Amino acid sequence: MVIYSTNSMDNNHTIKLNRMQPWMMYALLSTLTGGAALVFAKMGMKQANDHTALVIRTAVLFSVVLINAFISGGLKDIKTIPGKALGWFVLAGLSTAIYWILFFKAMKTANVSVVSTIDKGGILVTFLLSYLILKEPITPKLIIGAVLIISGTIVLMRS
């Protein structure tokens, strides 16, 4: 992806060409599709219960992920996954399942915009666990972002 920006230090305001890192493009696209997915799910839940909605969503998700892995050759090494890694994937799957069950219950009865914003507080859990378990650094930018997320969550929960 290409982004154009003006160089503020150059009086001629020449246009500089910057290349976006692939991970950032994927993250931005995931934000767009993730946000749209929640609105689509909420629209469908007007005519179906949250359990049925989650089952259909998960079946489609599993099918697309499986087809993608098959086409890209991502399944060829599945037998070589160490047991410890498999255990972490199982825990991630269980956490995701519980997360989506609770998220869909909340979304069924409340505004998706509020539920989704409060849900983003889970990023704070990620910050903490990535520091404690993965030994990732906590930077001033992360601290400022965490404070803003906590503030926004408190504002929405008090409304």
Side-chain angles (χ1 to χ4, degrees):
M1 181 177 276
V2 178
I3 305 256
Y4 293 96
S5 63
T6 59
N7 183 346
S8 60
M9 298 183 73
D10 181 359
N11 291 332
N12 296 328
H13 297 290
T14 59
I15 296 178
K16 292 184 101 180
L17 184 64
N18 296 318
R19 293 244 177 237
M20 184 181 290
Q21 297 283 337
W23 68 265
M24 190 176 288
M25 182 181 62
Y26 297 144
L28 290 172
L29 290 173
S30 100
T31 296
L32 293 172
T33 56
L38 298 178
V39 172
F40 298 155
K42 179 70 175 188
M43 291 171 66
M45 283 194 287
K46 291 178 181 177
Q47 300 168 329
N49 70 55
D50 51 304
H51 301 289
T52 303
L54 184 54
V55 168
I56 293 168
R57 177 202 169 275
T58 305
V60 171
L61 172 101
F62 178 76
S63 300
V64 171
V65 169
L66 186 62
I67 290 167
N68 178 64
F70 182 75
I71 290 172
S72 69
L75 296 176
K76 64 182 176 181
D77 298 329
I78 198 165
K79 292 182 182 180
T80 64
I81 295 175
K84 189 173 184 178
L86 185 59
W88 288 116
F89 294 143
V90 168
L91 285 174
L94 288 171
S95 293
T96 302
I98 293 166
Y99 162 76
W100 278 108
I101 290 167
L102 297 172
F103 186 88
F104 268 58
K105 283 191 171 301
M107 193 170 58
K108 176 70 176 177
T109 58
N111 290 338
V112 68
S113 57
V114 174
V115 172
S116 179
T117 305
I118 292 170
D119 165 69
K120 297 311 175 232
I123 293 169
L124 301 173
V125 175
T126 303
F127 288 166
L128 182 62
L129 292 178
S130 67
Y131 173 73
L132 295 173
I133 296 172
L134 302 175
K135 307 299 183 211
E136 292 182 359
I138 293 183
T139 65
K141 281 200 288 189
L142 284 175
I143 293 169
I144 292 168
V147 168
L148 291 171
I149 291 168
I150 291 168
S151 301
T153 301
I154 290 170
V155 166
L156 286 172
M157 292 180 79
R158 291 184 184 234
S159 299

